[in-house]
Amino acid sequence: MTEQKATNITWHDGDVTRADRNKLLGQKGATIWFTGLSGSGKSTVAVALEQALFARNKLVYRLDGDNVRHGINKNLGFSAEDRAENIRRIGEIAKLFVDAGVIALSSFVSPYRTDRDLVRAMHAESDMDFIEVYVDVPLAVAEERDPKGLYKKARAGEIPNFTGISDPYEAPETPELVLKSHEMSLEEEVDAVIALLQQRGILPA
Ligand SMILES: Nc1ncnc2c1ncn2[C@@H]1O[C@H](COP(=O)(O)OP(=O)(O)OP(=O)(O)O)[C@@H](O)[C@H]1O
Ligand SMILES: [Mg+2]
C-alpha cells in the first residue's frame, strides 16, 4: 500500500462527468493491459490494435514500456520495489485516460502478479474496465525472437534482473484473454481482443 504523504487534501469534483465524456466520444474508456515476457509481442499487438480501433473511430492511446521510463518514471529501475512503483504509476495514468473516455493500451512486462492485481483493484474501485491480456509464449520463443537484443545481453550477464533469465515472470492465473503469439497471426490476435471488447460492451457489437 502506497503511503499517503500529504494531509489536508480534498477531492474537488467537476461538473463534467466520465459518463459525459464517454457520451461525447461515443465510446467507453477502458484499460487493456498486456503482460508477458520481453519479446512476447505486447507492443506489436498493441500497435496493431491501436490502428484497428482508430480505424473504427475509437480514441485510443498506448502506454509502452521504455517510453514511460524516459519520462514520468525515469527515477525508477528494475528492482522489485521499483517495478511495483513503475506499474502502480502506469496504473494511475491508465485510469486518468479511462476517466477521460479513452481506451488505454498498456504494454509492460509487468511480471509480478501482485502489481497487476493492484492495478486491477484500482480500476475496480473506480468502476473501470480492466482487461488483462496475457501474451503467452515460451521463453525459448521470446529469446529466439530477441527483437531488442536484450536476451543476448542478459545471458552475457550485462542486464541484471532480466525477466525470464534472472528475474521471475508470474503468469496471470485468470486473465481475461490469452494470446499465444507463436501460434496465432497478428491479425487473429487483434480480432480476438476486439471480439472480447464487443462481448464486454466496451465496443459496439
Ligand atoms: N503473432 C505475433 N504477434 C506479435 N508479435 C509477433 C508475432 N509473430 C512474430 N512476432 C514478433 O515478435 C516480436 C515481439 O516483439 P515486441 O517488441 O512486440 O515484444 P514486447 O512484448 O513488446 O517486448 P518488450 O517487453 O521487450 O517491450 C516482434 O519482432 C514481432 O514481429
Ligand atoms: Mg514492448
Side-chain angles (χ1 to χ4, degrees):
M1 195 61 171
T2 305
E3 181 197 0
Q4 169 77 64
K5 284 192 177 169
T7 53
N8 298 317
I9 50 170
T10 309
W11 189 272
H12 199 134
D13 270 324
D15 293 330
V16 179
T17 65
R18 183 179 356 147
D20 293 333
R21 287 184 288 268
N22 281 342
K23 199 168 161 212
L24 177 81
L25 293 169
Q27 65 181 53
K28 190 175 182 212
T31 295
I32 323 286
W33 189 277
F34 294 98
T35 173
L37 293 171
S38 177
S40 59
K42 302 176 296 296
S43 299
T44 302
V45 177
V47 165
L49 180 63
E50 176 185 41
Q51 195 187 30
L53 292 176
F54 197 78
R56 292 167 178 250
N57 294 323
K58 300 299 163 198
L59 190 57
V60 266
Y61 194 78
R62 282 184 308 109
L63 298 166
D64 202 305
D66 292 354
N67 302 7
V68 175
R69 285 183 178 277
H70 277 116
I72 190 160
N73 288 355
K74 73 196 299 183
N75 62 335
L76 299 176
F78 291 92
S79 66
E81 197 186 16
D82 279 8
R83 282 182 191 269
E85 178 60 9
N86 183 48
I87 296 306
R88 187 192 70 82
R89 287 185 201 170
I90 294 157
E92 293 287 1
I93 295 167
K95 281 185 65 177
L96 291 175
F97 277 95
V98 178
D99 196 39
V102 178
I103 299 173
L105 309 181
S106 96
S107 319
F108 301 86
V109 176
S110 43
Y112 299 127
R113 206 172 285 135
T114 49
D115 298 347
R116 295 189 306 264
D117 286 349
L118 174 81
V119 179
R120 178 185 287 279
M122 281 159 46
H123 279 71
E125 220 170 69
S126 303
D127 194 25
M128 291 176 175
D129 288 290
F130 177 81
I131 309 286
E132 188 176 15
V133 180
Y134 176 28
V135 188
D136 177 16
V137 291
L139 176 64
V141 172
E143 188 165 358
E144 168 72 27
R145 288 178 179 167
D146 206 7
K148 302 178 189 164
L150 295 176
Y151 284 97
K152 198 158 171 264
K153 282 191 186 168
R155 288 288 185 198
E158 291 166 24
I159 307 179
N161 309 119
F162 194 79
T163 301
I165 307 292
S166 49
D167 229 40
Y169 178 78
E170 298 172 358
E173 278 163 354
T174 50
E176 274 71 16
L177 187 65
V178 178
L179 300 176
K180 291 184 181 290
S181 77
H182 55 306
E183 293 173 358
M184 296 169 81
S185 69
L186 188 53
E187 199 186 354
E188 286 170 334
E189 292 169 307
V190 169
D191 287 349
V193 179
I194 288 180
L196 179 68
L197 297 181
Q198 288 172 330
Q199 232 176 61
R200 295 283 173 123
I202 295 167
L203 288 181

